[in-house]
Amino acid sequence: MKKAVFKTNINCGGCIATVTPFLEKANTISDWEVDTNSKDKKLTVKGDQLDKEEVIKLVKDAGFEIQEKKGLFGF
């Protein structure tokens, strides 16, 4: 299973509720979570066929900023 970590501005439960329907649309994501307590508001996504570009597009479509944290993709 692949894993990617992104820095976002998803910072509260309301934000998570907003982004959820977008991330649930992704066929390549099997699991995801946002650590709203971290300074980078880390979004961690996992999936066998994970597509980082799809994740970035979906989060941006939901109205949030997202930036890949380099070196953490591909477990």
Side-chain angles (χ1 to χ4, degrees):
M1 180 170 295
K2 295 179 181 176
K3 174 181 171 183
V5 179
F6 300 90
K7 178 180 179 180
T8 72
N9 65 339
I10 300 169
N11 61 13
C12 68
C15 296
I16 292 171
T18 300
V19 78
T20 294
F22 289 86
L23 293 176
E24 296 295 320
K25 283 194 267 184
N27 294 326
T28 64
I29 298 174
S30 61
D31 187 40
W32 64 273
E33 67 180 356
V34 179
D35 181 358
T36 58
N37 293 320
S38 74
K39 72 177 179 88
D40 289 337
K41 310 304 180 200
K42 291 189 300 187
L43 167 64
T44 303
V45 293
K46 298 176 186 176
D48 290 332
Q49 303 298 320
L50 189 60
D51 181 348
K52 295 183 291 183
E53 296 304 318
E54 179 185 31
V55 174
I56 291 168
K57 180 184 182 325
L58 291 170
V59 171
K60 286 182 177 181
D61 287 351
F64 296 97
E65 297 173 11
I66 183 169
Q67 179 181 8
E68 182 181 1
K69 293 188 67 83
K70 297 292 183 189
L72 298 174
F73 183 73
F75 287 122

